[in-house]
Amino acid sequence: MSDAADTARSGIQPRKKGLTRRQRRKLSRGVQYAVFVAAVIAFAVTADWGQLQNQFAQADIARQMFPDIITLALKNTVLYTVSGFVVGLVLGMVIALMRLSSVGPYRWLAGIYIEIFRGLPALLIFIFIGVAVPLAFPGTEIVGGTYGKVALALGLVAAAYMAETIRAGIQAVPKGQMEAARSLGFSPARAMASIIVPQAFRIILPPLTNELVLLFKDSSLVLFLGVTLEERELSKFGRDLASTTANSTPILVAGLCYLLVTIPLGFVVRRMEAKAQEAVK
């Protein structure tokens, strides 16, 4: 009697030959790479490179942007970002502590603030600061002029996100740390400021740095406040020159200036996250 008949009579199904899980993963990865390479080749073949170069890569127009794009536009962008980050960090810290407070009204106010400012687009916050505040309080001037308005607008937006990040970092610190501090005679406020918060900031440093990257890009919304020529940031600077020259090269150069800051910051965030994971292990 044949082997097939013996197998059928015994009720044992013959083992089907097929790809293993590892082979399927390799095949799937190979297909993805092939699709990516095909898409790149299709783009390279079908794109009108001459037209792209004429519209986005005019060296003479790019040279006109220097050094003002660095000494003026990039400098203002960094100032707007840093000031907004500082305001957001301070306000976010206060809101986070209110969120963790045992006093009910503090928690409710913090929760309402977070839900409102985390839900509203940053553009509306800028319009509110630039239009609604002067109408509601005639004659009132925000300290710092445009720089103060940008710092306040960015800070209000960032504080809602930072508050939740800081709250999560504080709650991630083992409760035994607070108990140990109290046993040594620390008051709750001193224990929080000296023991808990420093440890929390070591935990949340990567997401806070990531928030700095987001604020750097959101600073482009300053144009809705009506800035002067000396107060322009990268996006406004690039758009103005693009309109003057009827060419998009200034926009591309402005975008590259953004990348000069965001790519190193992104690298720093990844390094800090990797170190944090190593510390946990």
Side-chain angles (χ1 to χ4, degrees):
M1 188 176 294
S2 64
D3 294 340
D6 292 340
T7 302
R9 180 173 295 177
S10 63
I12 301 175
Q13 296 295 328
R15 185 176 182 180
K16 297 180 180 179
K17 293 183 178 180
L19 297 176
T20 63
R21 182 177 300 178
R22 178 178 295 180
Q23 290 172 332
R24 288 196 297 270
R25 285 200 300 265
K26 288 183 178 180
L27 179 60
S28 175
R29 193 178 298 115
V31 170
Q32 294 175 28
Y33 285 145
V35 171
F36 174 75
V37 172
V40 171
I41 293 175
F43 173 77
V45 172
T46 58
D48 188 343
W49 292 102
Q51 186 66 21
L52 287 174
Q53 181 180 2
N54 182 62
Q55 187 65 26
F56 290 96
Q58 291 295 318
D60 55 336
I61 296 177
R63 282 194 293 268
Q64 296 176 20
M65 304 177 67
F66 292 89
D68 288 347
I69 193 171
I70 301 297
T71 59
L72 176 67
L74 183 58
K75 181 198 72 174
N76 284 337
T77 301
V78 172
L79 288 176
Y80 294 149
T81 303
V82 172
S83 59
F85 183 81
V86 171
V87 172
L89 185 61
V90 174
L91 184 57
M93 185 69 201
V94 174
I95 295 172
L97 294 177
M98 290 174 63
R99 186 80 161 168
L100 295 171
S101 174
S102 59
V103 182
Y106 287 167
R107 294 197 307 272
W108 303 334
L109 287 174
I112 292 172
Y113 177 92
I114 290 172
E115 292 303 323
I116 291 176
F117 284 91
R118 194 169 56 177
L120 289 175
L123 172 60
L124 295 183
I125 305 301
F126 272 82
I127 294 175
F128 176 80
I129 295 297
V131 178
V133 171
L135 290 177
F137 306 98
T140 301
E141 288 290 336
I142 296 177
V143 178
T146 299
Y147 293 95
K149 293 178 183 178
V150 176
L152 180 59
L154 288 177
L156 288 174
V157 175
Y161 294 93
M162 290 185 184
E164 288 293 87
T165 301
I166 295 171
R167 178 187 61 80
I170 291 175
Q171 291 181 326
V173 177
K175 294 182 178 180
Q177 296 289 320
M178 175 62 79
E179 296 172 356
R182 294 301 307 279
S183 66
L184 293 174
F186 283 69
S187 66
R190 185 183 175 191
M192 179 65 70
S194 303
I195 307 298
I196 306 301
V197 170
Q199 294 185 62
F201 268 84
R202 283 196 293 269
I203 297 172
I204 64 175
L205 195 56
L208 284 182
T209 308
N210 194 48
E211 182 64 31
L212 181 62
V213 175
L214 296 177
L215 285 180
F216 188 75
K217 294 184 293 183
D218 285 343
S219 64
S220 62
L221 297 174
V222 68
L223 62 93
F224 291 97
L225 295 178
V227 296
T228 65
L229 292 178
E230 296 299 318
E231 295 170 340
R232 291 178 298 174
E233 41 71 50
L234 284 171
S235 293
K236 177 66 173 172
F237 186 89
R239 288 183 58 186
D240 288 349
L241 195 54
S243 299
T244 303
T245 60
N247 190 275
S248 299
T249 299
I251 296 178
L252 176 63
V253 176
L256 293 176
C257 289
Y258 276 105
L259 295 179
L260 286 176
V261 177
T262 57
I263 289 179
L265 279 177
F267 176 77
V268 170
V269 171
R270 290 191 295 272
R271 290 292 299 170
M272 289 191 297
E273 289 177 345
K275 288 185 178 181
Q277 291 177 356
E278 291 176 0
V280 171
K281 293 179 181 179

Short mmCIF file of all heavy atoms in Angstrom, two decimals, residues 101-169:
data_model
loop_
_atom_site.label_atom_id
_atom_site.label_comp_id
_atom_site.label_asym_id
_atom_site.label_seq_id
_atom_site.Cartn_x
_atom_site.Cartn_y
_atom_site.Cartn_z
N SER A 101 -4.01 69.03 42.70
CA SER A 101 -4.38 69.57 44.00
C SER A 101 -5.55 68.80 44.61
O SER A 101 -6.39 68.24 43.91
CB SER A 101 -4.73 71.05 43.88
OG SER A 101 -5.23 71.56 45.09
N SER A 102 -5.59 68.80 45.92
CA SER A 102 -6.72 68.18 46.63
C SER A 102 -7.91 69.13 46.71
O SER A 102 -8.99 68.73 47.15
CB SER A 102 -6.28 67.78 48.05
OG SER A 102 -5.82 68.93 48.77
N VAL A 103 -7.71 70.38 46.31
CA VAL A 103 -8.78 71.37 46.31
C VAL A 103 -9.58 71.23 45.01
O VAL A 103 -9.03 71.42 43.92
CB VAL A 103 -8.23 72.79 46.46
CG1 VAL A 103 -9.36 73.81 46.50
CG2 VAL A 103 -7.38 72.89 47.72
N GLY A 104 -10.86 70.93 45.13
CA GLY A 104 -11.69 70.69 43.97
C GLY A 104 -11.72 71.80 42.94
O GLY A 104 -11.51 71.56 41.74
N PRO A 105 -11.98 73.06 43.34
CA PRO A 105 -12.02 74.15 42.34
C PRO A 105 -10.74 74.31 41.54
O PRO A 105 -10.80 74.64 40.35
CB PRO A 105 -12.29 75.39 43.20
CG PRO A 105 -13.03 74.86 44.39
CD PRO A 105 -12.42 73.52 44.67
N TYR A 106 -9.58 74.07 42.17
CA TYR A 106 -8.33 74.15 41.43
C TYR A 106 -8.30 73.09 40.32
O TYR A 106 -7.90 73.36 39.18
CB TYR A 106 -7.14 73.93 42.37
CG TYR A 106 -6.85 75.09 43.30
CD1 TYR A 106 -5.98 74.96 44.38
CD2 TYR A 106 -7.43 76.34 43.09
CE1 TYR A 106 -5.70 76.01 45.23
CE2 TYR A 106 -7.17 77.41 43.93
CZ TYR A 106 -6.31 77.23 44.99
OH TYR A 106 -6.05 78.30 45.83
N ARG A 107 -8.69 71.87 40.66
CA ARG A 107 -8.70 70.79 39.66
C ARG A 107 -9.67 71.10 38.54
O ARG A 107 -9.38 70.86 37.37
CB ARG A 107 -9.07 69.46 40.32
CG ARG A 107 -8.05 68.95 41.32
CD ARG A 107 -8.28 67.47 41.60
NE ARG A 107 -9.66 67.19 42.00
CZ ARG A 107 -10.11 67.24 43.25
NH1 ARG A 107 -9.28 67.60 44.23
NH2 ARG A 107 -11.36 66.97 43.54
N TRP A 108 -10.83 71.66 38.88
CA TRP A 108 -11.83 71.96 37.85
C TRP A 108 -11.34 73.06 36.91
O TRP A 108 -11.49 72.94 35.69
CB TRP A 108 -13.14 72.38 38.52
CG TRP A 108 -13.68 71.34 39.46
CD1 TRP A 108 -13.46 69.98 39.42
CD2 TRP A 108 -14.51 71.58 40.61
NE1 TRP A 108 -14.09 69.36 40.47
CE2 TRP A 108 -14.75 70.31 41.22
CE3 TRP A 108 -15.08 72.71 41.19
CZ2 TRP A 108 -15.54 70.16 42.35
CZ3 TRP A 108 -15.86 72.58 42.33
CH2 TRP A 108 -16.08 71.32 42.90
N LEU A 109 -10.76 74.11 37.49
CA LEU A 109 -10.25 75.19 36.65
C LEU A 109 -9.13 74.71 35.73
O LEU A 109 -9.08 75.06 34.55
CB LEU A 109 -9.73 76.33 37.53
CG LEU A 109 -10.79 77.18 38.25
CD1 LEU A 109 -10.13 78.17 39.20
CD2 LEU A 109 -11.66 77.92 37.23
N ALA A 110 -8.23 73.90 36.29
CA ALA A 110 -7.13 73.37 35.47
C ALA A 110 -7.67 72.47 34.35
O ALA A 110 -7.21 72.55 33.21
CB ALA A 110 -6.16 72.59 36.35
N GLY A 111 -8.65 71.65 34.67
CA GLY A 111 -9.23 70.78 33.66
C GLY A 111 -9.92 71.56 32.56
O GLY A 111 -9.79 71.22 31.36
N ILE A 112 -10.65 72.60 32.92
CA ILE A 112 -11.33 73.44 31.92
C ILE A 112 -10.31 74.12 31.02
O ILE A 112 -10.47 74.16 29.79
CB ILE A 112 -12.23 74.48 32.62
CG1 ILE A 112 -13.40 73.78 33.32
CG2 ILE A 112 -12.74 75.50 31.62
CD1 ILE A 112 -14.23 74.69 34.19
N TYR A 113 -9.26 74.66 31.63
CA TYR A 113 -8.22 75.33 30.83
C TYR A 113 -7.60 74.36 29.83
O TYR A 113 -7.44 74.70 28.64
CB TYR A 113 -7.14 75.89 31.75
CG TYR A 113 -6.00 76.53 31.00
CD1 TYR A 113 -6.01 77.89 30.72
CD2 TYR A 113 -4.91 75.78 30.57
CE1 TYR A 113 -4.98 78.49 30.02
CE2 TYR A 113 -3.88 76.36 29.86
CZ TYR A 113 -3.91 77.71 29.60
OH TYR A 113 -2.88 78.28 28.89
N ILE A 114 -7.23 73.19 30.30
CA ILE A 114 -6.57 72.21 29.43
C ILE A 114 -7.49 71.81 28.28
O ILE A 114 -7.06 71.75 27.11
CB ILE A 114 -6.14 70.97 30.25
CG1 ILE A 114 -4.99 71.34 31.18
CG2 ILE A 114 -5.73 69.83 29.32
CD1 ILE A 114 -4.63 70.26 32.17
N GLU A 115 -8.74 71.55 28.57
CA GLU A 115 -9.66 71.12 27.50
C GLU A 115 -9.89 72.22 26.47
O GLU A 115 -9.98 71.95 25.27
CB GLU A 115 -10.99 70.69 28.13
CG GLU A 115 -10.91 69.43 28.98
CD GLU A 115 -10.37 68.24 28.21
OE1 GLU A 115 -10.69 68.12 27.01
OE2 GLU A 115 -9.61 67.46 28.80
N ILE A 116 -9.99 73.47 26.94
CA ILE A 116 -10.24 74.59 26.01
C ILE A 116 -9.03 74.86 25.13
O ILE A 116 -9.13 74.88 23.89
CB ILE A 116 -10.64 75.85 26.78
CG1 ILE A 116 -12.04 75.67 27.41
CG2 ILE A 116 -10.64 77.07 25.85
CD1 ILE A 116 -12.48 76.84 28.26
N PHE A 117 -7.87 75.07 25.75
CA PHE A 117 -6.70 75.48 24.97
C PHE A 117 -6.06 74.32 24.23
O PHE A 117 -5.31 74.55 23.28
CB PHE A 117 -5.69 76.17 25.88
CG PHE A 117 -6.09 77.57 26.24
CD1 PHE A 117 -6.83 77.82 27.38
CD2 PHE A 117 -5.74 78.63 25.43
CE1 PHE A 117 -7.20 79.12 27.71
CE2 PHE A 117 -6.10 79.93 25.75
CZ PHE A 117 -6.84 80.17 26.89
N ARG A 118 -6.32 73.11 24.65
CA ARG A 118 -5.83 71.97 23.88
C ARG A 118 -6.74 71.67 22.70
O ARG A 118 -6.32 71.08 21.71
CB ARG A 118 -5.71 70.73 24.78
CG ARG A 118 -4.92 69.60 24.17
CD ARG A 118 -4.61 68.53 25.19
NE ARG A 118 -5.81 68.01 25.83
CZ ARG A 118 -5.82 67.03 26.73
NH1 ARG A 118 -4.67 66.49 27.09
NH2 ARG A 118 -6.93 66.62 27.28
N GLY A 119 -7.99 72.11 22.79
CA GLY A 119 -8.95 71.84 21.72
C GLY A 119 -9.01 72.92 20.66
O GLY A 119 -9.39 72.64 19.52
N LEU A 120 -8.64 74.16 21.02
CA LEU A 120 -8.70 75.26 20.05
C LEU A 120 -7.46 75.27 19.16
O LEU A 120 -6.35 75.03 19.65
CB LEU A 120 -8.80 76.60 20.77
CG LEU A 120 -10.13 76.91 21.48
CD1 LEU A 120 -10.00 78.22 22.25
CD2 LEU A 120 -11.26 77.02 20.47
N PRO A 121 -7.60 75.58 17.87
CA PRO A 121 -6.42 75.74 17.00
C PRO A 121 -5.56 76.91 17.47
O PRO A 121 -6.08 77.91 17.97
CB PRO A 121 -7.02 76.01 15.62
CG PRO A 121 -8.43 75.52 15.70
CD PRO A 121 -8.86 75.71 17.12
N ALA A 122 -4.26 76.79 17.32
CA ALA A 122 -3.35 77.86 17.74
C ALA A 122 -3.65 79.16 16.99
O ALA A 122 -3.47 80.25 17.54
CB ALA A 122 -1.90 77.44 17.50
N LEU A 123 -4.13 79.05 15.75
CA LEU A 123 -4.46 80.25 14.97
C LEU A 123 -5.50 81.10 15.67
O LEU A 123 -5.38 82.34 15.72
CB LEU A 123 -4.96 79.83 13.59
CG LEU A 123 -5.54 80.94 12.70
CD1 LEU A 123 -4.49 82.01 12.44
CD2 LEU A 123 -6.05 80.36 11.39
N LEU A 124 -6.53 80.47 16.24
CA LEU A 124 -7.58 81.22 16.93
C LEU A 124 -7.04 81.92 18.18
O LEU A 124 -7.48 83.01 18.53
CB LEU A 124 -8.72 80.29 17.31
CG LEU A 124 -9.51 79.67 16.15
CD1 LEU A 124 -10.67 78.83 16.66
CD2 LEU A 124 -10.01 80.75 15.19
N ILE A 125 -6.07 81.29 18.84
CA ILE A 125 -5.47 81.91 20.02
C ILE A 125 -4.70 83.17 19.61
O ILE A 125 -4.78 84.21 20.28
CB ILE A 125 -4.53 80.93 20.74
CG1 ILE A 125 -5.28 79.64 21.08
CG2 ILE A 125 -3.95 81.56 21.99
CD1 ILE A 125 -6.48 79.83 21.95
N PHE A 126 -3.99 83.10 18.49
CA PHE A 126 -3.26 84.28 18.01
C PHE A 126 -4.22 85.40 17.64
O PHE A 126 -3.97 86.57 17.95
CB PHE A 126 -2.40 83.91 16.80
CG PHE A 126 -1.03 83.41 17.16
CD1 PHE A 126 -0.84 82.09 17.54
CD2 PHE A 126 0.05 84.26 17.13
CE1 PHE A 126 0.43 81.63 17.87
CE2 PHE A 126 1.32 83.81 17.47
CZ PHE A 126 1.51 82.49 17.84
N ILE A 127 -5.31 85.06 16.97
CA ILE A 127 -6.30 86.07 16.60
C ILE A 127 -6.94 86.67 17.85
O ILE A 127 -7.17 87.89 17.93
CB ILE A 127 -7.37 85.46 15.68
CG1 ILE A 127 -6.74 85.05 14.35
CG2 ILE A 127 -8.52 86.44 15.45
CD1 ILE A 127 -7.68 84.34 13.42
N PHE A 128 -7.20 85.83 18.84
CA PHE A 128 -7.78 86.32 20.10
C PHE A 128 -6.84 87.31 20.78
O PHE A 128 -7.26 88.38 21.23
CB PHE A 128 -8.06 85.13 21.02
CG PHE A 128 -8.57 85.53 22.38
CD1 PHE A 128 -9.89 85.87 22.57
CD2 PHE A 128 -7.70 85.56 23.47
CE1 PHE A 128 -10.35 86.25 23.82
CE2 PHE A 128 -8.15 85.93 24.72
CZ PHE A 128 -9.49 86.28 24.90
N ILE A 129 -5.55 86.97 20.85
CA ILE A 129 -4.59 87.86 21.49
C ILE A 129 -4.43 89.16 20.70
O ILE A 129 -4.34 90.25 21.27
CB ILE A 129 -3.22 87.16 21.63
CG1 ILE A 129 -3.34 85.95 22.57
CG2 ILE A 129 -2.16 88.13 22.15
CD1 ILE A 129 -3.72 86.30 23.99
N GLY A 130 -4.42 89.05 19.37
CA GLY A 130 -4.17 90.23 18.55
C GLY A 130 -5.37 91.12 18.34
O GLY A 130 -5.23 92.33 18.11
N VAL A 131 -6.60 90.55 18.42
CA VAL A 131 -7.80 91.32 18.11
C VAL A 131 -8.72 91.46 19.32
O VAL A 131 -9.13 92.57 19.67
CB VAL A 131 -8.57 90.66 16.94
CG1 VAL A 131 -9.85 91.44 16.65
CG2 VAL A 131 -7.69 90.59 15.69
N ALA A 132 -9.06 90.34 19.94
CA ALA A 132 -10.06 90.37 21.01
C ALA A 132 -9.57 91.11 22.25
O ALA A 132 -10.32 91.87 22.87
CB ALA A 132 -10.48 88.95 21.36
N VAL A 133 -8.32 90.90 22.63
CA VAL A 133 -7.81 91.53 23.85
C VAL A 133 -7.81 93.06 23.74
O VAL A 133 -8.28 93.74 24.65
CB VAL A 133 -6.41 90.99 24.20
CG1 VAL A 133 -5.78 91.81 25.34
CG2 VAL A 133 -6.49 89.52 24.59
N PRO A 134 -7.30 93.65 22.63
CA PRO A 134 -7.37 95.13 22.52
C PRO A 134 -8.80 95.66 22.51
O PRO A 134 -9.05 96.76 23.01
CB PRO A 134 -6.66 95.41 21.19
CG PRO A 134 -5.77 94.24 20.98
CD PRO A 134 -6.52 93.07 21.53
N LEU A 135 -9.74 94.89 21.93
CA LEU A 135 -11.13 95.34 21.93
C LEU A 135 -11.75 95.25 23.32
O LEU A 135 -12.53 96.12 23.72
CB LEU A 135 -11.94 94.49 20.94
CG LEU A 135 -11.64 94.71 19.45
CD1 LEU A 135 -12.46 93.74 18.61
CD2 LEU A 135 -11.93 96.14 19.03
N ALA A 136 -11.42 94.19 24.04
CA ALA A 136 -12.00 94.01 25.37
C ALA A 136 -11.40 94.97 26.40
O ALA A 136 -12.09 95.41 27.32
CB ALA A 136 -11.80 92.57 25.83
N PHE A 137 -10.11 95.30 26.22
CA PHE A 137 -9.43 96.19 27.18
C PHE A 137 -8.77 97.32 26.41
O PHE A 137 -7.56 97.30 26.15
CB PHE A 137 -8.39 95.41 27.98
CG PHE A 137 -8.94 94.19 28.67
CD1 PHE A 137 -8.80 92.93 28.10
CD2 PHE A 137 -9.61 94.31 29.88
CE1 PHE A 137 -9.31 91.81 28.73
CE2 PHE A 137 -10.11 93.19 30.52
CZ PHE A 137 -9.98 91.94 29.95
N PRO A 138 -9.55 98.34 26.00
CA PRO A 138 -9.00 99.46 25.21
C PRO A 138 -7.86 100.15 25.94
O PRO A 138 -7.93 100.39 27.16
CB PRO A 138 -10.20 100.39 25.05
CG PRO A 138 -11.40 99.53 25.25
CD PRO A 138 -10.99 98.50 26.26
N GLY A 139 -6.82 100.44 25.20
CA GLY A 139 -5.68 101.14 25.77
C GLY A 139 -4.70 100.24 26.47
O GLY A 139 -3.64 100.70 26.90
N THR A 140 -5.03 98.95 26.60
CA THR A 140 -4.13 98.01 27.28
C THR A 140 -3.07 97.53 26.30
O THR A 140 -3.37 97.11 25.19
CB THR A 140 -4.91 96.81 27.82
OG1 THR A 140 -5.91 97.27 28.74
CG2 THR A 140 -3.97 95.84 28.54
N GLU A 141 -1.82 97.59 26.71
CA GLU A 141 -0.71 97.13 25.89
C GLU A 141 -0.02 95.96 26.58
O GLU A 141 0.29 96.03 27.76
CB GLU A 141 0.30 98.26 25.66
CG GLU A 141 -0.18 99.37 24.73
CD GLU A 141 -0.29 98.91 23.29
OE1 GLU A 141 0.39 97.93 22.92
OE2 GLU A 141 -1.07 99.52 22.54
N ILE A 142 0.16 94.89 25.83
CA ILE A 142 0.88 93.74 26.36
C ILE A 142 2.37 94.06 26.40
O ILE A 142 2.93 94.57 25.43
CB ILE A 142 0.63 92.49 25.50
CG1 ILE A 142 -0.85 92.11 25.57
CG2 ILE A 142 1.49 91.31 25.96
CD1 ILE A 142 -1.23 90.92 24.70
N VAL A 143 2.99 93.79 27.53
CA VAL A 143 4.41 94.10 27.71
C VAL A 143 5.24 93.37 26.64
O VAL A 143 5.05 92.17 26.40
CB VAL A 143 4.88 93.66 29.11
CG1 VAL A 143 6.38 93.94 29.28
CG2 VAL A 143 4.08 94.40 30.17
N GLY A 144 6.13 94.12 26.00
CA GLY A 144 7.00 93.51 25.00
C GLY A 144 6.52 93.67 23.58
O GLY A 144 7.18 93.21 22.65
N GLY A 145 5.36 94.30 23.38
CA GLY A 145 4.85 94.50 22.04
C GLY A 145 4.54 93.19 21.34
O GLY A 145 3.93 92.28 21.92
N THR A 146 5.00 93.07 20.10
CA THR A 146 4.75 91.85 19.33
C THR A 146 5.39 90.64 19.98
O THR A 146 4.81 89.56 20.02
CB THR A 146 5.28 92.02 17.89
OG1 THR A 146 4.61 93.11 17.26
CG2 THR A 146 5.04 90.76 17.08
N TYR A 147 6.60 90.81 20.51
CA TYR A 147 7.28 89.69 21.16
C TYR A 147 6.48 89.19 22.36
O TYR A 147 6.38 88.00 22.62
CB TYR A 147 8.69 90.10 21.58
CG TYR A 147 9.61 90.38 20.43
CD1 TYR A 147 9.80 91.69 19.97
CD2 TYR A 147 10.30 89.36 19.79
CE1 TYR A 147 10.65 91.96 18.91
CE2 TYR A 147 11.14 89.62 18.72
CZ TYR A 147 11.31 90.92 18.28
OH TYR A 147 12.13 91.18 17.22
N GLY A 148 5.90 90.13 23.12
CA GLY A 148 5.09 89.75 24.26
C GLY A 148 3.81 89.05 23.84
O GLY A 148 3.38 88.08 24.48
N LYS A 149 3.18 89.53 22.76
CA LYS A 149 1.96 88.89 22.26
C LYS A 149 2.23 87.46 21.79
O LYS A 149 1.46 86.54 22.07
CB LYS A 149 1.38 89.71 21.11
CG LYS A 149 0.84 91.07 21.51
CD LYS A 149 0.33 91.83 20.30
CE LYS A 149 -0.16 93.22 20.67
NZ LYS A 149 -0.61 93.97 19.48
N VAL A 150 3.33 87.29 21.06
CA VAL A 150 3.68 85.95 20.57
C VAL A 150 3.99 85.02 21.74
O VAL A 150 3.56 83.87 21.77
CB VAL A 150 4.87 86.02 19.60
CG1 VAL A 150 5.29 84.62 19.17
CG2 VAL A 150 4.50 86.85 18.38
N ALA A 151 4.75 85.53 22.72
CA ALA A 151 5.09 84.71 23.88
C ALA A 151 3.83 84.28 24.62
O ALA A 151 3.70 83.13 25.05
CB ALA A 151 6.03 85.48 24.82
N LEU A 152 2.88 85.20 24.75
CA LEU A 152 1.63 84.89 25.45
C LEU A 152 0.79 83.89 24.66
O LEU A 152 0.27 82.91 25.22
CB LEU A 152 0.84 86.17 25.69
CG LEU A 152 -0.51 86.02 26.42
CD1 LEU A 152 -0.30 85.38 27.78
CD2 LEU A 152 -1.21 87.37 26.54
N ALA A 153 0.67 84.12 23.34
CA ALA A 153 -0.14 83.22 22.53
C ALA A 153 0.44 81.82 22.48
O ALA A 153 -0.27 80.82 22.70
CB ALA A 153 -0.27 83.79 21.10
N LEU A 154 1.74 81.72 22.21
CA LEU A 154 2.38 80.41 22.18
C LEU A 154 2.36 79.75 23.56
O LEU A 154 2.17 78.54 23.69
CB LEU A 154 3.83 80.53 21.68
CG LEU A 154 4.03 80.83 20.19
CD1 LEU A 154 5.52 80.99 19.90
CD2 LEU A 154 3.45 79.72 19.34
N GLY A 155 2.57 80.58 24.60
CA GLY A 155 2.58 80.04 25.96
C GLY A 155 1.24 79.48 26.37
O GLY A 155 1.16 78.43 27.02
N LEU A 156 0.14 80.16 25.99
CA LEU A 156 -1.19 79.68 26.34
C LEU A 156 -1.47 78.33 25.68
O LEU A 156 -2.08 77.45 26.30
CB LEU A 156 -2.24 80.70 25.91
CG LEU A 156 -2.31 82.00 26.72
CD1 LEU A 156 -3.29 82.97 26.09
CD2 LEU A 156 -2.71 81.71 28.17
N VAL A 157 -1.04 78.19 24.43
CA VAL A 157 -1.25 76.93 23.73
C VAL A 157 -0.37 75.83 24.32
O VAL A 157 -0.83 74.72 24.61
CB VAL A 157 -0.95 77.09 22.23
CG1 VAL A 157 -1.05 75.75 21.51
CG2 VAL A 157 -1.91 78.09 21.60
N ALA A 158 0.91 76.15 24.51
CA ALA A 158 1.85 75.14 24.99
C ALA A 158 1.55 74.71 26.42
O ALA A 158 1.76 73.54 26.78
CB ALA A 158 3.28 75.69 24.92
N ALA A 159 1.05 75.63 27.25
CA ALA A 159 0.81 75.30 28.65
C ALA A 159 -0.19 74.17 28.81
O ALA A 159 -0.07 73.35 29.73
CB ALA A 159 0.31 76.54 29.39
N ALA A 160 -1.20 74.11 27.93
CA ALA A 160 -2.21 73.06 28.04
C ALA A 160 -1.59 71.68 27.84
O ALA A 160 -1.94 70.72 28.54
CB ALA A 160 -3.32 73.29 27.01
N TYR A 161 -0.65 71.58 26.89
CA TYR A 161 0.01 70.30 26.64
C TYR A 161 1.08 70.01 27.69
O TYR A 161 1.23 68.88 28.16
CB TYR A 161 0.64 70.31 25.24
CG TYR A 161 -0.37 70.39 24.13
CD1 TYR A 161 -0.74 71.61 23.59
CD2 TYR A 161 -0.96 69.24 23.62
CE1 TYR A 161 -1.67 71.69 22.56
CE2 TYR A 161 -1.89 69.31 22.59
CZ TYR A 161 -2.24 70.54 22.07
OH TYR A 161 -3.17 70.61 21.07
N MET A 162 1.83 71.04 28.05
CA MET A 162 2.89 70.84 29.03
C MET A 162 2.32 70.47 30.39
O MET A 162 2.93 69.69 31.15
CB MET A 162 3.73 72.12 29.17
CG MET A 162 4.60 72.42 27.97
SD MET A 162 5.66 73.84 28.28
CE MET A 162 6.47 74.03 26.69
N ALA A 163 1.15 71.01 30.74
CA ALA A 163 0.55 70.71 32.03
C ALA A 163 0.28 69.22 32.16
O ALA A 163 0.56 68.60 33.20
CB ALA A 163 -0.75 71.50 32.20
N GLU A 164 -0.27 68.62 31.11
CA GLU A 164 -0.54 67.18 31.14
C GLU A 164 0.75 66.37 31.17
O GLU A 164 0.83 65.34 31.83
CB GLU A 164 -1.40 66.79 29.93
CG GLU A 164 -2.83 67.26 30.02
CD GLU A 164 -3.59 66.57 31.13
OE1 GLU A 164 -3.53 67.06 32.28
OE2 GLU A 164 -4.23 65.54 30.87
N THR A 165 1.77 66.86 30.43
CA THR A 165 3.06 66.16 30.44
C THR A 165 3.70 66.21 31.82
O THR A 165 4.21 65.21 32.33
CB THR A 165 3.99 66.79 29.40
OG1 THR A 165 3.40 66.71 28.10
CG2 THR A 165 5.33 66.07 29.37
N ILE A 166 3.67 67.40 32.44
CA ILE A 166 4.26 67.55 33.77
C ILE A 166 3.48 66.74 34.80
O ILE A 166 4.07 66.10 35.68
CB ILE A 166 4.30 69.04 34.16
CG1 ILE A 166 5.24 69.81 33.23
CG2 ILE A 166 4.74 69.21 35.61
CD1 ILE A 166 5.19 71.32 33.40
N ARG A 167 2.16 66.76 34.70
CA ARG A 167 1.34 65.97 35.63
C ARG A 167 1.69 64.49 35.52
O ARG A 167 1.86 63.81 36.55
CB ARG A 167 -0.14 66.17 35.32
CG ARG A 167 -1.07 65.35 36.22
CD ARG A 167 -2.51 65.46 35.76
NE ARG A 167 -2.69 64.94 34.40
CZ ARG A 167 -2.79 63.65 34.12
NH1 ARG A 167 -2.72 62.73 35.07
NH2 ARG A 167 -2.95 63.26 32.87
N ALA A 168 1.83 63.99 34.30
CA ALA A 168 2.17 62.59 34.12
C ALA A 168 3.56 62.29 34.69
O ALA A 168 3.78 61.22 35.29
CB ALA A 168 2.12 62.23 32.64
N GLY A 169 4.50 63.23 34.51
CA GLY A 169 5.84 63.03 35.06
C GLY A 169 5.84 62.99 36.57
O GLY A 169 6.54 62.16 37.19
#
